[in-house]
Amino acid sequence: MKNILFYGGGNIAQSVIEGLLNSGFSKKNIYFHDRNLSNQKKLNKLKIKKFTGNINEINFVILCVKPKDALNAYKEIASMKNNPKIVSFVAGIKSKKYLKINKNVSFLRAMPNTSSRFDLGITALFNCSFQKTDMAYIKGLFKKFGRVIELDYESKMDQFTGLVGSGPAYFFYLLKTYEKELLKMCNGNKDEVAAIMTNLLEGVSKSIQVNDNLDELIKMVASKKGTTEAGLKSFSTSNINKIFKNGLKKAIERSKEISNEY
Ligand SMILES: NC(=O)c1ccc[n+]([C@@H]2O[C@H](COP(=O)([O-])OP(=O)(O)OC[C@H]3O[C@@H](n4cnc5c(N)ncnc54)[C@H](OP(=O)(O)O)[C@@H]3O)[C@@H](O)[C@H]2O)c1
């Protein structure tokens, strides 16, 4: 097993670390470096070791800090070791920005999502300068806790980030309205509401696994002049699909903008 250092130990690092641990990857081979006390505590709880500064122990460094901190963190890593192998989780910032600072680095971009912690990750990879064997290793690693999609153009990272990286939050956001209405029906019983939402979404996800034709799935629920049809008609009149599509477009645009900001 190779040693992996998470440079930045926040939300996404913790999700991926949990995915790795669930898949049997040994915590002995995982290190973290993070300045934030609350994240340090969370990683200590998972019994992940703090990086002591011996970079020669490390095979791959995962760069997982916010875009505003990314180029500085990259400089820090590149100053510790000759030709480090860096996997960047950072949204927006393109490989050429990093390699302009120091090109003596093997670089790969990866975009996972927080569902990695439940073995339901979806990770996009774009290989900038990793050797084939290293690329294969990283791909195998992410496959342990979800799906991996290899992108043919780096520009598609922006699409993936806006659509899939941010994806879980869109559904949580929409569910907030649903939760509010369910709470009224369940006399404020949050556990009951959470159970209803869980079963409903698991049912939705299983249905798609059996039949990926969304129109057919809708037809199975909506009968002529029924309640579902009334709800769907109202959605359609309010042009919800256009609103949703515009949100997705904004997220993709934002990913493109980030690269120009740093
Ligand atoms: N969250 C997601 O779902 C997701 C999904 C895919 C990709 N990403 C990408 O992953 C990156 C990290 O996102 P996140 O949500 O995990 O961020 P986060 O929760 O803020 O975690 C980043 C951590 O890195 C620390 N840090 C920053 N610079 C550092 C440095 N030079 N040395 C030591 N520690 C440092 C931060 O400390 P401070 O708090 O003190 O700044 C923070 O604890 C982002 O670029 C994002 O685009 C996120």
Short mmCIF file of all heavy atoms in Angstrom, two decimals, residues 1-5 20 23-26 29-30 58-62 85 87 108 125 127 130-145 148 150:
data_model
loop_
_atom_site.label_atom_id
_atom_site.label_comp_id
_atom_site.label_asym_id
_atom_site.label_seq_id
_atom_site.Cartn_x
_atom_site.Cartn_y
_atom_site.Cartn_z
N MET A 1 0.84 -1.21 0.00
CA MET A 1 0.00 0.00 0.00
C MET A 1 0.87 1.25 0.00
O MET A 1 1.88 1.30 0.70
CB MET A 1 -0.87 0.01 1.25
CG MET A 1 -2.34 -0.10 0.95
SD MET A 1 -3.30 -0.16 2.46
CE MET A 1 -4.46 -1.45 2.05
N LYS A 2 0.48 2.23 -0.79
CA LYS A 2 1.24 3.48 -0.85
C LYS A 2 0.79 4.40 0.28
O LYS A 2 -0.34 4.28 0.78
CB LYS A 2 0.96 4.18 -2.18
CG LYS A 2 1.11 3.29 -3.40
CD LYS A 2 2.46 3.41 -3.98
CE LYS A 2 2.53 2.66 -5.30
NZ LYS A 2 3.87 2.47 -5.77
N ASN A 3 1.67 5.35 0.64
CA ASN A 3 1.30 6.33 1.67
C ASN A 3 0.71 7.57 1.03
O ASN A 3 1.25 8.09 0.05
CB ASN A 3 2.54 6.72 2.48
CG ASN A 3 2.97 5.60 3.40
OD1 ASN A 3 2.14 4.84 3.88
ND2 ASN A 3 4.27 5.49 3.62
N ILE A 4 -0.38 8.04 1.63
CA ILE A 4 -1.09 9.18 1.07
C ILE A 4 -1.19 10.30 2.10
O ILE A 4 -1.57 10.05 3.26
CB ILE A 4 -2.50 8.76 0.62
CG1 ILE A 4 -2.34 7.73 -0.50
CG2 ILE A 4 -3.33 9.94 0.13
CD1 ILE A 4 -3.61 7.20 -1.04
N LEU A 5 -0.84 11.49 1.68
CA LEU A 5 -0.96 12.66 2.56
C LEU A 5 -2.08 13.56 2.07
O LEU A 5 -2.07 14.00 0.91
CB LEU A 5 0.37 13.44 2.56
CG LEU A 5 0.34 14.86 3.12
CD1 LEU A 5 -0.07 14.89 4.60
CD2 LEU A 5 1.72 15.53 2.96
N LEU A 20 -12.04 5.49 1.88
CA LEU A 20 -10.85 4.63 1.83
C LEU A 20 -10.86 3.62 2.99
O LEU A 20 -10.60 2.42 2.78
CB LEU A 20 -9.58 5.48 1.93
CG LEU A 20 -9.12 6.20 0.66
CD1 LEU A 20 -7.99 7.17 0.97
CD2 LEU A 20 -8.68 5.20 -0.40
N SER A 23 -13.20 0.85 2.59
CA SER A 23 -12.83 -0.10 1.54
C SER A 23 -11.66 -1.00 1.98
O SER A 23 -11.20 -1.83 1.22
CB SER A 23 -12.44 0.65 0.27
OG SER A 23 -11.16 1.22 0.44
N GLY A 24 -11.16 -0.77 3.20
CA GLY A 24 -10.10 -1.63 3.72
C GLY A 24 -8.71 -1.02 3.60
O GLY A 24 -7.72 -1.65 3.97
N PHE A 25 -8.62 0.21 3.08
CA PHE A 25 -7.32 0.89 3.01
C PHE A 25 -6.87 1.15 4.45
O PHE A 25 -7.65 1.65 5.27
CB PHE A 25 -7.46 2.20 2.23
CG PHE A 25 -6.17 2.80 1.80
CD1 PHE A 25 -5.61 2.47 0.57
CD2 PHE A 25 -5.48 3.69 2.61
CE1 PHE A 25 -4.40 3.02 0.16
CE2 PHE A 25 -4.27 4.24 2.21
CZ PHE A 25 -3.74 3.90 0.97
N SER A 26 -5.62 0.86 4.75
CA SER A 26 -5.19 0.94 6.15
C SER A 26 -4.94 2.39 6.58
O SER A 26 -4.31 3.16 5.85
CB SER A 26 -3.90 0.14 6.33
OG SER A 26 -3.37 0.42 7.60
N ASN A 29 -1.51 4.05 6.48
CA ASN A 29 -0.94 4.64 5.27
C ASN A 29 -1.53 6.00 4.91
O ASN A 29 -1.31 6.51 3.82
CB ASN A 29 -1.14 3.68 4.08
CG ASN A 29 -0.46 2.35 4.32
OD1 ASN A 29 -1.04 1.46 4.91
ND2 ASN A 29 0.79 2.24 3.92
N ILE A 30 -2.30 6.56 5.85
CA ILE A 30 -2.91 7.87 5.58
C ILE A 30 -2.38 8.90 6.58
O ILE A 30 -2.31 8.63 7.78
CB ILE A 30 -4.46 7.81 5.69
CG1 ILE A 30 -5.01 6.71 4.78
CG2 ILE A 30 -5.08 9.16 5.34
CD1 ILE A 30 -6.52 6.53 4.88
N ILE A 58 5.99 9.75 1.93
CA ILE A 58 4.73 9.95 1.21
C ILE A 58 4.87 9.63 -0.28
O ILE A 58 5.79 10.09 -0.94
CB ILE A 58 4.27 11.44 1.35
CG1 ILE A 58 4.16 11.83 2.83
CG2 ILE A 58 2.98 11.70 0.59
CD1 ILE A 58 3.14 11.07 3.64
N ASN A 59 3.89 8.86 -0.82
CA ASN A 59 3.89 8.57 -2.26
C ASN A 59 3.03 9.55 -3.04
O ASN A 59 3.40 9.97 -4.14
CB ASN A 59 3.36 7.15 -2.51
CG ASN A 59 4.22 6.10 -1.84
OD1 ASN A 59 3.91 5.64 -0.75
ND2 ASN A 59 5.33 5.75 -2.48
N PHE A 60 1.85 9.89 -2.49
CA PHE A 60 0.95 10.81 -3.18
C PHE A 60 0.46 11.88 -2.20
O PHE A 60 0.13 11.55 -1.06
CB PHE A 60 -0.28 10.09 -3.73
CG PHE A 60 0.04 9.06 -4.78
CD1 PHE A 60 0.12 7.71 -4.45
CD2 PHE A 60 0.27 9.44 -6.10
CE1 PHE A 60 0.42 6.77 -5.42
CE2 PHE A 60 0.58 8.50 -7.07
CZ PHE A 60 0.66 7.16 -6.74
N VAL A 61 0.45 13.13 -2.67
CA VAL A 61 -0.12 14.20 -1.84
C VAL A 61 -1.44 14.62 -2.48
O VAL A 61 -1.49 14.92 -3.68
CB VAL A 61 0.82 15.44 -1.78
CG1 VAL A 61 0.22 16.49 -0.85
CG2 VAL A 61 2.21 15.04 -1.33
N ILE A 62 -2.49 14.62 -1.67
CA ILE A 62 -3.80 15.07 -2.18
C ILE A 62 -3.98 16.51 -1.75
O ILE A 62 -4.01 16.81 -0.54
CB ILE A 62 -4.95 14.21 -1.61
CG1 ILE A 62 -4.65 12.72 -1.73
CG2 ILE A 62 -6.26 14.61 -2.27
CD1 ILE A 62 -5.26 11.96 -2.82
N LYS A 85 4.18 13.79 -6.33
CA LYS A 85 3.01 13.37 -7.12
C LYS A 85 1.78 13.98 -6.44
O LYS A 85 1.42 13.57 -5.33
CB LYS A 85 2.91 11.85 -7.14
CG LYS A 85 4.07 11.22 -7.91
CD LYS A 85 4.11 9.73 -7.75
CE LYS A 85 5.37 9.19 -8.45
NZ LYS A 85 5.60 7.77 -8.16
N VAL A 87 -2.22 15.11 -6.39
CA VAL A 87 -3.59 14.94 -6.91
C VAL A 87 -4.40 16.12 -6.38
O VAL A 87 -4.57 16.25 -5.17
CB VAL A 87 -4.21 13.62 -6.41
CG1 VAL A 87 -5.63 13.45 -6.94
CG2 VAL A 87 -3.34 12.42 -6.78
N LEU A 108 -2.17 15.53 -11.26
CA LEU A 108 -3.43 14.88 -11.68
C LEU A 108 -4.56 15.65 -11.03
O LEU A 108 -4.45 16.03 -9.86
CB LEU A 108 -3.42 13.43 -11.18
CG LEU A 108 -4.70 12.60 -11.27
CD1 LEU A 108 -4.95 12.18 -12.72
CD2 LEU A 108 -4.59 11.36 -10.41
N LEU A 125 -11.54 12.08 -13.08
CA LEU A 125 -10.07 12.21 -13.10
C LEU A 125 -9.65 12.83 -14.43
O LEU A 125 -10.20 12.50 -15.48
CB LEU A 125 -9.40 10.84 -12.98
CG LEU A 125 -9.63 10.03 -11.71
CD1 LEU A 125 -8.92 8.68 -11.81
CD2 LEU A 125 -9.14 10.78 -10.47
N ASN A 127 -5.90 13.35 -16.18
CA ASN A 127 -4.46 13.17 -16.01
C ASN A 127 -3.68 14.25 -16.75
O ASN A 127 -3.81 14.41 -17.96
CB ASN A 127 -4.04 11.78 -16.54
CG ASN A 127 -2.58 11.49 -16.19
OD1 ASN A 127 -1.95 12.25 -15.46
ND2 ASN A 127 -2.07 10.40 -16.72
N PHE A 130 0.72 12.52 -14.82
CA PHE A 130 1.03 11.29 -14.05
C PHE A 130 1.49 10.19 -15.01
O PHE A 130 0.97 10.09 -16.14
CB PHE A 130 -0.23 10.79 -13.32
CG PHE A 130 -0.28 11.17 -11.87
CD1 PHE A 130 0.17 12.40 -11.44
CD2 PHE A 130 -0.80 10.31 -10.92
CE1 PHE A 130 0.12 12.76 -10.11
CE2 PHE A 130 -0.86 10.65 -9.59
CZ PHE A 130 -0.40 11.88 -9.18
N GLN A 131 2.45 9.37 -14.53
CA GLN A 131 2.80 8.19 -15.32
C GLN A 131 1.62 7.21 -15.28
O GLN A 131 0.83 7.22 -14.34
CB GLN A 131 4.02 7.53 -14.71
CG GLN A 131 5.27 8.35 -14.96
CD GLN A 131 6.53 7.64 -14.52
OE1 GLN A 131 6.47 6.63 -13.83
NE2 GLN A 131 7.66 8.18 -14.93
N LYS A 132 1.58 6.37 -16.33
CA LYS A 132 0.44 5.44 -16.46
C LYS A 132 0.21 4.59 -15.21
O LYS A 132 -0.92 4.38 -14.78
CB LYS A 132 0.68 4.50 -17.65
CG LYS A 132 0.12 5.05 -18.95
CD LYS A 132 0.18 3.99 -20.03
CE LYS A 132 -0.34 4.58 -21.33
NZ LYS A 132 0.09 3.83 -22.49
N THR A 133 1.31 4.10 -14.60
CA THR A 133 1.16 3.22 -13.44
C THR A 133 0.58 3.99 -12.25
O THR A 133 -0.24 3.46 -11.51
CB THR A 133 2.53 2.61 -13.02
OG1 THR A 133 3.49 3.66 -12.99
CG2 THR A 133 2.98 1.52 -13.96
N ASP A 134 1.00 5.24 -12.08
CA ASP A 134 0.47 6.06 -10.98
C ASP A 134 -1.01 6.38 -11.22
O ASP A 134 -1.83 6.36 -10.30
CB ASP A 134 1.27 7.36 -10.84
CG ASP A 134 2.67 7.10 -10.30
OD1 ASP A 134 2.83 6.12 -9.55
OD2 ASP A 134 3.60 7.86 -10.65
N MET A 135 -1.32 6.68 -12.47
CA MET A 135 -2.72 6.96 -12.84
C MET A 135 -3.59 5.74 -12.53
O MET A 135 -4.67 5.85 -11.94
CB MET A 135 -2.77 7.31 -14.33
CG MET A 135 -4.16 7.52 -14.88
SD MET A 135 -4.88 9.03 -14.20
CE MET A 135 -6.51 8.94 -14.92
N ALA A 136 -3.08 4.57 -12.91
CA ALA A 136 -3.84 3.33 -12.69
C ALA A 136 -4.04 3.10 -11.19
O ALA A 136 -5.12 2.68 -10.74
CB ALA A 136 -3.12 2.15 -13.32
N TYR A 137 -3.01 3.42 -10.39
CA TYR A 137 -3.11 3.23 -8.94
C TYR A 137 -4.21 4.14 -8.36
O TYR A 137 -5.07 3.68 -7.59
CB TYR A 137 -1.77 3.52 -8.26
CG TYR A 137 -1.83 3.29 -6.78
CD1 TYR A 137 -1.70 2.00 -6.26
CD2 TYR A 137 -2.07 4.34 -5.89
CE1 TYR A 137 -1.81 1.77 -4.89
CE2 TYR A 137 -2.18 4.11 -4.53
CZ TYR A 137 -2.04 2.83 -4.04
OH TYR A 137 -2.16 2.60 -2.69
N ILE A 138 -4.16 5.41 -8.75
CA ILE A 138 -5.15 6.37 -8.21
C ILE A 138 -6.56 6.00 -8.66
O ILE A 138 -7.52 6.06 -7.88
CB ILE A 138 -4.78 7.82 -8.66
CG1 ILE A 138 -3.47 8.26 -7.99
CG2 ILE A 138 -5.90 8.80 -8.35
CD1 ILE A 138 -3.52 8.41 -6.47
N LYS A 139 -6.68 5.59 -9.92
CA LYS A 139 -8.00 5.19 -10.43
C LYS A 139 -8.55 4.02 -9.61
O LYS A 139 -9.71 4.02 -9.19
CB LYS A 139 -7.86 4.79 -11.90
CG LYS A 139 -9.16 4.71 -12.64
CD LYS A 139 -8.92 4.53 -14.13
CE LYS A 139 -10.24 4.25 -14.82
NZ LYS A 139 -10.07 4.02 -16.25
N GLY A 140 -7.68 3.05 -9.34
CA GLY A 140 -8.07 1.89 -8.56
C GLY A 140 -8.50 2.28 -7.15
O GLY A 140 -9.46 1.72 -6.60
N LEU A 141 -7.82 3.27 -6.61
CA LEU A 141 -8.13 3.74 -5.25
C LEU A 141 -9.54 4.32 -5.17
O LEU A 141 -10.33 3.98 -4.29
CB LEU A 141 -7.11 4.83 -4.91
CG LEU A 141 -6.63 4.97 -3.50
CD1 LEU A 141 -5.97 3.69 -3.04
CD2 LEU A 141 -5.63 6.12 -3.39
N PHE A 142 -9.84 5.21 -6.13
CA PHE A 142 -11.16 5.85 -6.11
C PHE A 142 -12.28 4.86 -6.45
O PHE A 142 -13.42 5.03 -6.02
CB PHE A 142 -11.19 7.06 -7.04
CG PHE A 142 -10.52 8.26 -6.44
CD1 PHE A 142 -9.22 8.59 -6.75
CD2 PHE A 142 -11.19 9.05 -5.51
CE1 PHE A 142 -8.57 9.67 -6.17
CE2 PHE A 142 -10.57 10.14 -4.92
CZ PHE A 142 -9.25 10.45 -5.25
N LYS A 143 -11.93 3.84 -7.25
CA LYS A 143 -12.92 2.83 -7.62
C LYS A 143 -13.36 2.02 -6.40
O LYS A 143 -14.41 1.39 -6.42
CB LYS A 143 -12.33 1.87 -8.65
CG LYS A 143 -12.58 2.29 -10.07
CD LYS A 143 -12.16 1.18 -10.99
CE LYS A 143 -12.53 1.47 -12.43
NZ LYS A 143 -12.00 0.46 -13.31
N LYS A 144 -12.53 2.04 -5.34
CA LYS A 144 -12.86 1.26 -4.15
C LYS A 144 -14.11 1.79 -3.46
O LYS A 144 -14.75 1.10 -2.70
CB LYS A 144 -11.70 1.31 -3.14
CG LYS A 144 -10.50 0.46 -3.53
CD LYS A 144 -9.39 0.71 -2.50
CE LYS A 144 -8.09 0.07 -2.87
NZ LYS A 144 -8.02 -1.34 -2.57
N PHE A 145 -14.41 3.07 -3.66
CA PHE A 145 -15.59 3.61 -2.95
C PHE A 145 -16.52 4.39 -3.89
O PHE A 145 -17.15 5.34 -3.48
CB PHE A 145 -15.17 4.47 -1.75
CG PHE A 145 -14.13 5.51 -2.06
CD1 PHE A 145 -14.49 6.71 -2.60
CD2 PHE A 145 -12.80 5.24 -1.82
CE1 PHE A 145 -13.54 7.66 -2.89
CE2 PHE A 145 -11.83 6.18 -2.11
CZ PHE A 145 -12.20 7.41 -2.65
N VAL A 148 -15.66 5.91 -11.15
CA VAL A 148 -14.63 6.83 -11.63
C VAL A 148 -14.88 7.13 -13.10
O VAL A 148 -15.16 6.22 -13.89
CB VAL A 148 -13.22 6.20 -11.47
CG1 VAL A 148 -12.17 7.09 -12.09
CG2 VAL A 148 -12.91 5.97 -9.99
N GLU A 150 -13.09 9.00 -16.32
CA GLU A 150 -11.87 9.65 -16.82
C GLU A 150 -12.26 10.66 -17.88
O GLU A 150 -12.91 10.29 -18.87
CB GLU A 150 -10.95 8.58 -17.42
CG GLU A 150 -9.64 8.51 -16.69
CD GLU A 150 -8.68 7.54 -17.33
OE1 GLU A 150 -8.84 6.32 -17.09
OE2 GLU A 150 -7.80 7.99 -18.06
#
